[in-house]
Amino acid sequence: MVDYAVADNYRTYCGLSAADTVPANLTQLLRAASLAVREYTGTLFYQTDSDGIPVDAILSAAFRDATCAQAQAMDALGIDPAMGGAIQPNTAASKSISGASVSYTTSEQQTAAQLREQVANGLAPIAIRILRASGAMLLTQPWEVG
């Protein structure tokens, strides 16, 4: 598997100094994020080096930054790749003991749950924007030979 970013890239992307703490599971977050970027860009045609990193500097930077953005989103949303994705339990919004009624998710809670699921099972919106802004998504046309 290709790791498009390492801890130093994450620190730079997030504006962290060497003294700032990073998530304890940063290696797992970056690996999961690299895999998500790879899945999202799986139909693209581009030249790679021997490690599988895009040779084009702009594309390589986009993969790196999208990976960092995805890892940051996963951390912010409390998504732990080792736990198998986003598990969103229903949270009681209100309760009534005498009336025995329970009310679950509000639209805001549902939106947050949908975002968690998108980030856990795909890419964070910012990661997608980074890839699109780099022109990466324009590389889906096959190369012509001859």
Side-chain angles (χ1 to χ4, degrees):
M1 187 174 111
V2 178
D3 290 330
Y4 295 120
V6 295
D8 286 341
N9 301 136
Y10 181 85
R11 284 180 180 285
T12 300
Y13 178 83
C14 295
L16 301 174
S17 71
D20 292 327
T21 59
V22 295
N25 64 342
L26 182 58
T27 300
Q28 290 175 325
L29 288 170
L30 289 172
R31 255 200 202 125
S34 291
L35 181 58
V37 168
R38 178 69 186 120
E39 287 177 345
Y40 189 80
T41 60
T43 61
L44 302 183
F45 292 95
Y46 53 90
Q47 187 176 6
T48 64
D49 63 16
S50 60
D51 294 325
I53 305 295
V55 172
D56 179 82
I58 293 171
L59 191 59
S60 179
F63 277 43
R64 180 198 64 224
D65 290 349
T67 298
C68 292
Q70 177 71 12
Q72 184 182 40
M74 291 172 71
D75 181 51
L77 293 170
I79 299 169
D80 185 350
M83 298 302 291
I87 299 169
Q88 185 69 26
N90 286 334
T91 305
S94 66
K95 300 177 192 179
S96 175
I97 294 178
S98 62
S101 66
V102 177
S103 173
Y104 289 96
T105 62
T106 64
S107 61
E108 185 177 294
Q109 290 169 322
Q110 194 167 12
T111 300
Q114 288 170 341
L115 179 60
R116 283 189 88 234
E117 186 173 342
Q118 177 185 349
V119 172
N121 298 319
L123 273 184
I126 187 66
I128 292 170
R129 285 188 191 109
I130 290 168
L131 292 169
R132 285 185 181 157
S134 74
M137 304 322 295
L138 302 176
L139 299 174
T140 57
Q141 300 299 319
W143 290 347
E144 290 186 26
V145 179

